[in-house]
Amino acid sequence: MQIFKAPSPMHLSVVPKLCQPLKIVALGDSLVYGFGDPEGGGWVERLRRSWMSPDSPGHVLYNLGVRGDRTQQVAHRLEAEFRHRGELRNQVPDLIILSVGVNDSARLSRPNGRNFTDFAVFESEIAALLDRAHQLCPVLFVGMMPVDEAKMPFLDCFYFNHADQHRYKEATKVACAKRGIPYLDIFEQWMEQGEAWRLKRVSADGLHPNTLGYKTLLEDVVGWEAMSEYNSIADCQLAR
């Protein structure tokens, strides 16, 4: 099995190979938590289960998604969550998967209300989150999916729309690119598939994926080039 030691911030691209499973933490909002998928628990849970076969043990994956979290909340709990998921003394996780931002983009109370997180504030907060995460270990970022605008408002007060989603995800994508963090643009990939295709993958609330949607998200993540080096596990004898 492949692993790399938690590198210093100056050597994040160096991936030494050792014979142990990786320890991975996935932090974010309900897209990480898996809300809307009573069958499989979401794409993170589905991926975790795929790595749990006793015959072919895979990586250790912790789902640290919290429903309703915005970038600020994820940033506040990032390091504490990270430091408590090393499993072995004096060790920490090898990879952070982030997925957050859709809740920041919501309009409050009415379709043209203020954004839940002001855009300028969001740009600052996402930059700070990425900087801190990138100092801890390598990072991957899974972007937001497009909502069903016709089902808004969510919970009678949150108005999500594609224009704001695009604006916030683009800011995140640019911030990731500046730091060399791979970004999976789920929003664009799903928008390219057309409305009929998308709506089959969105829950009745218009905000969360349904079971088919999470299955599709898992396929998107597993098929992502940036994820392939972590998803591919080689058999080997543990070093002693």
Side-chain angles (χ1 to χ4, degrees):
M1 298 180 184
Q2 296 179 334
I3 191 175
F4 54 84
K5 296 179 182 178
S8 69
M10 298 299 293
H11 299 86
L12 291 177
S13 62
V14 178
V15 184
K17 297 179 180 179
L18 299 175
C19 296
Q20 295 179 27
L22 296 173
K23 295 180 293 293
I24 303 172
V25 293
L27 291 102
D29 50 31
S30 55
L31 197 65
V32 170
Y33 176 77
F35 185 76
D37 182 13
E39 179 183 302
W43 74 265
V44 175
E45 176 62 14
R46 289 174 181 272
L47 182 58
R48 186 184 75 88
R49 292 179 187 180
S50 75
W51 285 335
M52 291 182 70
S53 170
D55 296 330
S56 180
H59 304 322
V60 178
L61 176 59
Y62 290 100
N63 185 329
L64 305 176
V66 175
R67 293 177 59 189
D69 259 13
R70 291 181 286 158
T71 301
Q72 183 183 69
Q73 282 75 49
V74 173
H76 282 170
R77 60 188 176 88
L78 170 67
E79 189 156 358
E81 298 272 31
F82 179 83
R83 298 294 180 190
H84 285 86
R85 296 309 190 288
E87 291 196 345
L88 302 175
R89 173 181 271 181
N90 298 324
Q91 294 193 20
V92 293
D94 306 288
L95 175 70
I96 294 172
I97 300 175
L98 292 173
S99 185
V100 68
V102 65
N103 294 316
D104 296 276
S105 74
R107 298 274 178 172
L108 301 180
S109 301
R110 57 187 187 276
N112 63 345
R114 68 176 180 85
N115 291 111
F116 202 1
T117 302
D118 177 80
F119 184 70
V121 173
F122 174 77
E123 288 183 303
S124 175
E125 290 179 345
I126 198 69
L129 171 63
L130 295 176
D131 283 340
R132 187 62 194 124
H134 201 33
Q135 290 171 1
L136 295 172
C137 74
V139 179
L140 299 179
F141 201 107
V142 176
M144 66 181 78
M145 53 156 277
V147 302
D148 180 357
E149 294 178 313
K151 296 292 181 62
M152 296 301 116
F154 177 71
L155 297 179
D156 296 323
C157 62
F158 295 104
Y159 290 82
F160 295 86
N161 66 78
H162 293 164
D164 283 319
Q165 281 193 283
H166 185 271
R167 187 183 185 202
Y168 280 66
K169 75 91 178 171
E170 279 296 303
T172 304
K173 187 175 181 179
V174 169
C176 284
K178 288 181 178 179
R179 293 159 177 80
I181 296 173
Y183 180 90
L184 181 59
D185 198 338
I186 295 293
F187 184 89
E188 294 297 340
Q189 289 184 192
W190 283 32
M191 289 296 286
E192 290 172 358
Q193 296 297 324
E195 184 178 29
W197 183 94
R198 291 197 312 273
L199 295 184
K200 290 180 181 178
R201 289 161 173 79
V202 182
S203 294
D205 64 16
L207 180 60
H208 300 95
N210 55 23
T211 293
L212 177 59
Y214 278 111
K215 287 180 179 179
T216 303
L217 277 172
L218 177 60
E219 292 172 0
D220 292 338
V221 172
V222 171
W224 184 21
E225 183 179 358
M227 188 68 182
S228 62
E229 66 177 286
Y230 305 109
N231 194 41
S232 178
I233 306 171
D235 292 329
C236 66
Q237 296 294 321
L238 291 178
R240 299 188 183 275

